[in-house]
Structures are given as structure tokens and as C-alpha cells.
Amino acid sequence: MGLDIRIPLGLIFLITGGIISIYGFITRNSAIYERSLGVNLNLGWGLLMFLFGLIMFLVGRRQKWQDDPVNPRPWEREGRTSHH
């Protein structure tokens, strides 16, 4: 199989969420958040995006065994018999 879409998608969210989180952390006591009633949306949404990207990346990396007839899952290998 090819590249799992969750890996690059997770990396995009990891990088974007990390940048937004860092910006939100640096500007946490700034006047730019007065319009949003003092809520630091950059930090909050950046952390959520980072967490989502991390989950997507880890799930994509963890998915080693797919329905692959060449490399079966470990528990399917035992039950296979050769009929030559």
C-alpha cells in the first residue's frame, strides 16, 4: 500500500498548530485579545490543532498491518496452511 493520508495530514496539523500555539503563548497578555473578551484563541485552537495532528500522525504510524496478502497480520500467519 502507499502512504497513509493520516501521516501527512497529521504533520500539517502538527506544524500549523505548533506555530499558532507558540504565537498565542508569546502574545498571551497582549492587547490584541481585548476584542475577543480576553480569550486567547490562538493558544486554545493551536493546542487543539496540535493535539489533533498528533493523534492523526500516531494513528497513521501505528497502522502497520492492513489487509495485505503478502504480509498478513501476525495472528493470521499461524492459521495459514500451504496447499502445494
Side-chain angles (χ1 to χ4, degrees), residues 5 9 12 18 24 39 42 45-46 55 61 64 71 76 80:
I5 190 67
L9 186 65
I12 290 171
V39 177
N42 291 322
W45 280 104
I55 290 170
R61 295 283 297 169
K64 296 285 185 195
N71 299 316
E76 292 176 343
R80 292 181 89 171

Side-chain angles (χ1 to χ4, degrees), residues 34-50:
E34 289 178 6
R35 295 183 75 186
S36 63
L37 302 176
V39 177
N40 189 343
L41 294 173
N42 291 322
L43 183 60
W45 280 104
L47 289 174
L48 281 174
M49 287 175 66
F50 187 83

Side-chain angles (χ1 to χ4, degrees), residues 26-39:
I26 291 171
T27 61
R28 64 185 177 274
N29 294 324
S30 179
I32 62 174
Y33 300 112
E34 289 178 6
R35 295 183 75 186
S36 63
L37 302 176
V39 177

Side-chain angles (χ1 to χ4, degrees), residues 3-70:
L3 182 66
D4 191 354
I5 190 67
R6 291 174 287 197
I7 294 172
L9 186 65
L11 287 173
I12 290 171
F13 274 94
L14 272 171
I15 293 168
T16 306
I19 291 170
I20 293 173
S21 297
I22 290 170
Y23 178 76
F25 183 76
I26 291 171
T27 61
R28 64 185 177 274
N29 294 324
S30 179
I32 62 174
Y33 300 112
E34 289 178 6
R35 295 183 75 186
S36 63
L37 302 176
V39 177
N40 189 343
L41 294 173
N42 291 322
L43 183 60
W45 280 104
L47 289 174
L48 281 174
M49 287 175 66
F50 187 83
L51 181 65
F52 176 74
L54 184 65
I55 290 170
M56 291 291 281
F57 181 75
L58 291 177
V59 168
R61 295 283 297 169
R62 183 185 62 107
Q63 196 73 354
K64 296 285 185 195
W65 306 304
Q66 297 176 353
D67 291 329
D68 189 3
V70 177

